[in-house]
Amino acid sequence: MTGVKKELCGGDMTKGWVSLKSRGIAISTFLVFCPSRADQGARRERDASETGALRRLHHRGVLWEGGWGAALAHHFSRKADVVLRGYSGYNTRWALKVVGRAMEGVCPDGVAPPAAAIVFFGANDASLPDRYCSFQHVPLPEYQSNLRGICAYLRERWSSTVIILITPPAIDEDGRLRDTCGDNSSGLPERTNESAGAYAKACVAVADELGLPVIDIWSKMLQFPDWEKSFLRDGLHFTASGNSVLFEEVVKKLGDEGLSLEALPVDLPQFRDMDPNDPLKSLRD
């Protein structure tokens, strides 16, 4: 990997694809992580916030206007490109249908494949079939089949790319009733934490079946007191604290796969390493 900046890809905060190139991340997301290289052109930072609203995230003393994708882009700055494909409201049925289109332009012909791709879907699939937003619901067996299909596509396209799955997050049912999406007059939440947990376990099962790394963010969230209000702003979407927890888990998992900040070379010399008497000398390679 010497002299090469890696690229990451991924998807779903509850739905989507992500790549190391982004500012905000939707719950349905694909993210792609690509090590940077000078001859691969400028980094692409794409804004794909699910809600369209930027939120604050503190990381190492830095105040971020964005989510865990923005934090990843900053964390791996000059070392990897983060490419985000966030699809608000999407489930895996729809994601499987559009994954090819979503990955268009991520790694042009002749460019090294992404180092990693992150798939983050399930929160919408877990919507209850007899409640508001039932059209987003995908039965559990189909959810697993769709995840297999998405992973199969990514493996066929980039055989060397590490694929990482993220489970759907935990759900605060009270938060969903207080901040509903649209006209929910039933008085019942369209999602439950029990259902989200079942889909999280199903996601982990698919990852184990395919031999893929997985981040069980549902279980991780439940380890914290008052996670319902601390990590979720509306019972579903992350607050700054929620984004921070997921960011740390993604960085840890990438490190487990040999994609830590320390393992990746920097793209072009750092300012402090340039010769003050002849700065261009450092760029003549």
Side-chain angles (χ1 to χ4, degrees):
M1 259 204 272
T2 303
V4 177
K5 186 198 223 178
K6 288 272 184 185
E7 183 170 303
L8 284 177
C9 298
D12 197 333
M13 229 183 83
T14 46
K15 55 216 174 222
W17 292 269
V18 185
S19 232
L20 273 191
K21 292 178 182 177
S22 82
R23 296 198 126 196
I25 292 189
I27 294 238
S28 302
T29 305
F30 293 99
L31 182 144
V32 181
F33 185 76
C34 303
S36 292
R37 190 167 66 187
D39 61 358
Q40 288 184 192
R43 266 178 315 161
R44 304 178 297 277
E45 295 187 4
R46 305 181 186 278
D47 186 351
S49 172
E50 177 174 16
T51 64
L54 297 177
R55 291 174 293 282
R56 295 187 174 188
L57 171 65
H58 282 90
H59 175 59
R60 296 180 181 174
V62 178
L63 180 63
W64 278 99
E65 292 291 342
W68 59 277
L72 280 176
H74 171 71
H75 183 75
F76 288 101
S77 178
R78 302 278 300 281
K79 292 203 171 187
D81 293 340
V82 179
V83 179
L84 174 64
R85 298 287 190 270
Y87 295 88
S88 175
Y90 274 48
N91 56 35
T92 55
R93 181 184 296 160
W94 308 338
L96 178 59
K97 182 73 173 178
V98 303
V99 60
R101 178 175 177 178
M103 294 298 103
E104 287 180 1
V106 169
C107 288
D109 293 341
V111 173
I118 300 174
V119 179
F120 186 16
F121 285 88
N124 295 317
D125 299 65
S127 297
L128 299 179
D130 59 349
R131 303 273 180 92
Y132 181 76
C133 285
S134 61
F135 72 98
Q136 292 176 299
H137 172 75
V138 171
L140 201 57
E142 184 189 347
Y143 168 66
Q144 292 184 296
S145 178
N146 292 339
L147 283 180
R148 294 186 192 101
I150 290 169
C151 292
Y153 172 86
L154 295 173
R155 273 182 163 170
E156 181 177 356
R157 181 163 182 176
W158 300 305
S159 60
S160 63
T161 297
V162 175
I163 301 171
I164 300 173
L165 299 184
I166 303 179
T167 72
I171 296 295
D172 172 26
E173 294 160 34
D174 175 68
R176 293 310 298 150
L177 286 175
R178 292 173 180 274
D179 192 352
T180 60
C181 178
D183 183 20
N184 180 8
S185 59
S186 69
L188 298 171
E190 85 288 9
R191 294 169 170 81
T192 65
N193 196 43
E194 180 182 7
S195 178
Y199 280 72
K201 290 179 175 63
C203 178
V204 171
V206 170
D208 291 344
E209 171 192 324
L210 300 179
L212 301 177
V214 60
I215 297 170
D216 186 355
I217 195 62
W218 184 86
S219 295
K220 184 68 177 181
M221 291 171 67
L222 298 187
Q223 296 175 12
F224 294 83
D226 194 31
W227 61 267
E228 298 93 334
K229 307 306 181 200
S230 296
F231 293 162
L232 300 169
R233 62 181 179 80
D234 59 0
L236 172 63
H237 301 99
F238 289 137
T239 61
S241 295
N243 274 304
S244 182
V245 169
L246 181 54
F247 163 78
E248 296 291 350
E249 290 300 302
V250 172
V251 169
K252 185 187 306 180
K253 190 64 67 175
L254 289 171
D256 292 344
E257 299 300 321
L259 297 171
S260 66
L261 192 65
E262 297 74 21
L264 298 172
V266 69
D267 181 31
L268 298 178
Q270 296 281 11
F271 167 76
R272 62 179 176 272
D273 297 327
M274 300 180 80
D275 184 347
N277 297 315
D278 188 3
L280 292 180
K281 181 174 65 176
S282 303
L283 307 176
R284 290 173 185 159
D285 187 1

